[in-house]
Amino acid sequence: MPLVVMCGFPCSGKSRRAQELKEYFLSQTDRKVYVVGDETVGVDKNSVYADSQKERNLRGALRAEVERKVNKEDVVILDSLNYIKGYRYELFCLIKHTQTPHCLVYCLTSAEVSSTWNKCGDVEKQYSQEILDALIMRFETPDSRNRWDSPLFTVQKEDTLPFEAISDAIFHRKAPPPNQSTQSQPLSSTNFLYELDKVTQDVLMAVLNAQKTSVPGEVLAVPGATEKIELTRSLNMAELRKLRRQFISYAKMHPTENIGQIANMFVQYLNKSMH
């Protein structure tokens, strides 16, 4: 069913965590669990990661293997570096097409710890220090604000995996909507743009008017929204207009199918911006 993407420096504990997750899912569910990774496709890590073309081929092979195994019933765990955000985005597009949830498990370690763990492993499986350092240098840290890196679970070496939270994320969360290329988007609709402009202007004026008789700390109701404005501080016209422009730019990039939610989305955006 879902895809669990492991991510982290070389020798950061990803394979151990992947095995822990596999054992947990096998014991707690009746689903099949597949682990796909560098080890399963049998590569010489130092040779592959020293050659950009070989590395691209490896990522392509792993992605193809994931695509073959991902379905709506089984669990697939991708145990590889997955350190390039563009590649993580490709995986996100894959699961959108398959219509199944995913999550990212980020094994956070320092470069020093990874280097130490590398030297403690089997000699034939060790990275050369040069390759290890280069991969750490190129690593692109996941960010939960990116759709392809969310939901994100960050675990350090002494942490216990949040098994229940991970299970909830991949078994009880809705799959992301299909790719924009396969769906008509409300952005192409004049009505969406009109509503976006009108609703945000109405909210902006409601906040300005309410502030005349309110004090910081109050909760303001605005037209068309069930969410309330948490007035932690005053907002002047210039700041409100700037926030409105930023929200409109964001909404155009991430159009919603439910136009009725624009007001709530704008209120949530204002609340976050005030903190």
Side-chain angles (χ1 to χ4, degrees), residues 65-82:
E65 187 64 17
V66 167
E67 191 168 13
R68 278 193 290 270
K69 286 188 162 48
V70 162
N71 57 57
K72 295 194 175 182
E73 299 299 327
D74 306 325
V75 178
V76 179
I77 301 172
L78 178 55
D79 176 24
S80 188
L81 297 175
N82 301 315

Side-chain angles (χ1 to χ4, degrees), residues 120-162:
C120 293
D122 295 338
V123 174
E124 64 273 15
K125 293 183 179 180
Q126 288 181 12
Y127 292 87
S128 71
Q129 192 62 46
E130 182 182 2
I131 295 295
L132 184 80
D133 291 342
L135 288 169
I136 289 174
M137 184 73 70
R138 298 201 298 266
F139 187 82
E140 296 179 324
T141 305
D143 184 342
S144 62
R145 292 173 295 182
N146 298 327
R147 292 168 296 156
W148 54 90
D149 289 337
S150 178
L152 174 64
F153 299 93
T154 301
V155 291
Q156 301 189 47
K157 61 178 183 177
E158 67 276 5
D159 293 342
T160 299
L161 275 174

